Amino acid sequence: MILELDCGNSFIKWRAISPVSHERLLGGVVDSDDELLQVLQAEGVGRFQYCRLVSVRSDVETAALVARLEQIAPTVRCAVPMQELAGVRNGYDDFARLGLDRWLALVGAYRLCGGACVVLDLGTAVTSDFVTADGEHLGGYICPGVPLMRNQLRTHTRRIRYDDAAAQQALQGLQPGRSTAEAVERGCALMLRGFVTTQLEVARERWGDSFTVYLTGGDALLVRELLPQARHVSDLVFVGLAVACPLP
């Protein structure tokens, strides 16, 4: 099997795929390196043939994880910043400063559609990236996602206190909230929807309707109804990772 990892600052998303069909066989999300190794052991996963990963952690943290992974996989490869990959040209003035997860997501999107596209990643942070039909990355936008907005309000506003169950219940609708949980959750959701709507306006100013929208990230479903034409690809980063680190 092939082990793929998306190592963020808060958690690690992992999956095991078939080296032949590339079908997802196992997968999940963990909070730490220790938990990752424990989960893999609990799943009864044997020695992997190959491991590839993308990490936005520090070099020291990434190297420490790679050293542990080398105990279960003979080959471990990490994605690295690049000025150009698979026909996509990095649009940052300093290409190494573009987050690797963003870079691989937009490379993955371009690989899938082969044309102009907008990539919306709705996670802890919300990002958008624009790629032209000939593979030129125009840049993008970053703003706080719903988890960050919620946590800031909980941290800095004394009377805002509610649990995750109340948060889930609050998102059953978007009418004006009649409780603090409803007001906060629905307000954050509307801010997210406003961001997404603006990204479409920016894209249409450039390309009319000749572009593809990709949705990824944990909160993608909060805006799905706004974008019936969008392609929801939960593992978009892994699509780009396969391009950056092909099998030997």
Side-chain angles (χ1 to χ4, degrees):
M1 285 192 293
I2 309 304
L3 177 63
E4 298 182 322
L5 304 174
D6 178 3
C7 305
N9 292 307
S10 303
F11 57 82
I12 300 171
K13 185 176 182 181
W14 71 275
R15 72 176 190 176
I17 64 171
S18 163
V20 178
S21 67
H22 303 292
E23 175 188 1
R24 182 183 185 273
L25 304 175
L26 297 167
V29 178
V30 295
D31 293 328
S32 66
D33 298 0
D34 287 339
E35 187 180 355
L36 173 66
L37 274 295
Q38 290 168 7
V39 167
L40 294 178
Q41 184 176 15
E43 292 283 359
V45 176
R47 191 174 179 84
F48 289 96
Q49 298 165 265
Y50 185 71
C51 174
R52 55 191 174 204
L53 64 97
V54 54
S55 175
V56 297
R57 300 171 167 191
S58 70
D59 291 342
V60 172
E61 291 173 313
T62 300
L65 175 58
V66 168
R68 300 184 69 177
L69 292 170
E70 287 174 340
Q71 299 174 22
I72 62 172
T75 302
V76 180
R77 287 193 59 194
C78 296
V80 297
M82 300 183 71
Q83 285 187 311
E84 185 169 348
L85 176 63
V88 182
R89 294 173 297 284
N90 193 314
Y92 261 31
D93 294 332
D94 179 355
F95 74 90
R97 299 291 294 175
L98 176 62
L100 274 172
D101 51 352
R102 282 177 66 195
W103 171 238
L104 294 185
L106 67 93
V107 167
Y110 190 76
R111 167 58 63 93
L112 292 176
C113 72
C117 56
V118 180
V119 180
L120 299 171
D121 189 342
L122 312 181
T124 303
V126 170
T127 64
S128 67
D129 284 284
F130 299 80
V131 184
T132 68
D134 64 355
E136 188 71 32
H137 173 224
L138 300 177
Y141 300 92
I142 304 174
C143 71
V146 170
L148 283 178
M149 289 189 283
R150 177 193 298 127
N151 290 339
Q152 284 296 302
L153 285 169
R154 284 177 171 175
T155 301
H156 296 289
T157 306
R158 184 173 299 174
R159 291 183 179 273
I160 294 181
R161 295 289 183 273
Y162 56 89
D163 59 21
D164 291 340
Q168 276 300 117
Q169 183 63 32
L171 287 172
Q172 297 303 308
L174 289 176
Q175 62 268 28
R178 296 175 66 88
S179 69
T180 299
E182 290 180 352
V184 170
E185 293 300 317
R186 294 173 187 180
C188 291
L190 288 175
M191 290 188 72
L192 183 64
R193 291 162 71 98
F195 176 87
V196 167
T197 300
T198 300
Q199 304 316 298
L200 294 185
E201 292 173 356
V202 171
R204 288 189 179 115
E205 286 176 2
R206 289 181 173 273
W207 303 316
D209 291 321
S210 300
F211 63 93
T212 304
V213 180
Y214 284 92
L215 276 178
T216 192
D219 284 330
L221 295 180
L222 290 178
V223 301
R224 191 68 181 88
E225 66 183 69
L226 288 177
L227 303 167
Q229 80 280 22
R231 301 183 186 179
H232 182 204
V233 183
S234 59
D235 290 337
L236 192 55
V237 169
F238 288 139
V239 176
L241 180 61
V243 176
C245 300
L247 297 179

